[in-house]
Amino acid sequence: MPTLETVELWIQENVLDRSAWDRSSEKSIATTQATRNLQRWYPGVPITDEILAYQAIWELQGMDPALKFQKQGVKSVSEGEDRIDYLDRDKVASDVREILGPPAHELIEEAPVILEGGRLV
């Protein structure tokens, strides 16, 4: 299982755009949150330093105030003639999605119908 130290080392050696990581004082929380999310989205898949690093950086980039508006369902903000439209931001880092494919919840088309009791007439 990756640790904060091994993820930090991997990021320093492999990630060019790591400004969100370098600025953050919440690296430990970001890696914890990323681990929890990855375990939920990709059950049974081993989490490597690389995958955890990409997702942790993605989580930290999500701290941007504009991205917080998206989570709250804000579609656009306008002031005078200026307008900003928000598109939905993927919860899974694009690099993680490229390596592991779609998360488990996207692979399930519909929840199964559970029939309990009763009888067919």
Side-chain angles (χ1 to χ4, degrees):
M1 187 70 168
T3 65
L4 179 58
E5 292 76 23
T6 61
V7 170
E8 171 86 38
L9 182 61
W10 194 92
I11 289 171
Q12 296 305 323
E13 293 177 350
N14 295 282
V15 179
L16 187 60
D17 182 12
R18 58 180 183 260
S19 58
W21 179 265
D22 290 341
R23 286 194 308 267
S24 179
S25 62
E26 305 293 349
K27 295 173 185 172
S28 177
I29 295 172
T31 54
T32 300
Q33 181 171 315
T35 300
R36 183 177 53 247
N37 288 339
L38 289 166
Q39 288 172 339
R40 184 179 324 126
W41 298 331
Y42 297 97
V45 174
I47 299 173
T48 63
D49 290 331
E50 176 185 19
I51 292 168
L52 185 55
Y54 287 136
Q55 188 64 37
I57 291 171
W58 189 253
E59 302 284 348
L60 290 169
Q61 289 171 338
M63 297 297 293
D64 183 306
L67 296 174
K68 288 182 183 179
F69 286 141
Q70 290 175 348
K71 287 182 179 178
Q72 296 170 355
V74 175
K75 300 296 181 194
S76 66
V77 174
S78 59
E79 183 177 328
E81 295 181 15
D82 297 328
R83 178 182 167 114
I84 300 173
D85 291 315
Y86 298 110
L87 301 174
D88 288 334
R89 179 178 188 256
D90 195 350
K91 294 178 182 181
V92 180
S94 56
D95 290 317
V96 171
R97 185 177 286 276
E98 185 177 310
I99 295 167
L100 298 179
H105 67 272
E106 290 180 6
L107 298 175
I108 301 171
E109 292 185 24
E110 282 188 31
V113 176
I114 299 172
L115 301 175
E116 296 180 6
R119 62 182 178 185
L120 296 175
V121 180

